[in-house]
Each structure stands twice: as C-alpha cells, then as structure tokens.
Amino acid sequence: MTAAFTVRVSDETASKLNQIAEKLDRSRAYMAAEAIEAFVEQQEWQLAEIEAGLDAADRGEFASAEDVAKVVGKYVKSARQS
C-alpha cells in the first residue's frame, strides 16, 4: 500500500530533482519517494542510536577519561600526520 501527499519545494530544488530524474531515467515522483524513504530510514537509525545512548547514560555507562583521551589522541595524531 502507498500513500500520496503533496510537498512544496523551491523552484531550484524541483529543477534539480527533474535533472537528476532525467539523468537516471526515472520519474520525479520515483526520485522524491526514494529520497523520502532514505531520509526516514536515516532518521529512524539516528534516533534509535540516540535513545540507546541515553539509556546507557541513564544506567551510568560512560566512557572513562582514559578511553576518551585514546579516541581523541587517535584523531589528533592522524590530523597532524596528514
């Protein structure tokens, strides 16, 4: 089952969507549906991860200062070597 609804986007966005749809030989509606589905999936994942993190924090599960320093040190060293 599918649901239909109307969304408003700027003329510029509509034009870009039309160009992409044409290049991919798809309809504008197909491309819009794909974009919305990808957005919803990403938001669901992100919200689930945030909720899991908040639950862990509520249980008192935090990284130690040493753990944080190791992670930060890893990226600081990588940036300096680049």
Side-chain angles (χ1 to χ4, degrees), residues 62-76:
F62 297 97
S64 69
E66 183 179 304
D67 292 336
V68 172
K70 285 180 185 177
V71 171
V72 170
K74 174 182 170 184
Y75 291 102
V76 170

Side-chain angles (χ1 to χ4, degrees), residues 13-35:
T13 299
S15 177
K16 289 177 182 179
L17 180 61
N18 286 336
Q19 291 172 13
I20 292 168
E22 186 176 312
K23 288 178 181 179
L24 296 176
D25 195 28
R26 297 288 188 171
S27 70
R28 182 169 65 176
Y30 174 87
M31 298 305 300
E34 287 290 303

Side-chain angles (χ1 to χ4, degrees), residues 39-59:
F39 175 80
V40 168
E41 184 177 305
Q42 186 254 344
Q43 292 298 309
E44 283 182 325
W45 172 84
Q46 186 172 17
L47 290 170
E49 290 296 311
I50 290 168
E51 289 171 0
L54 291 172
D55 289 344
D58 287 344
R59 292 189 303 271

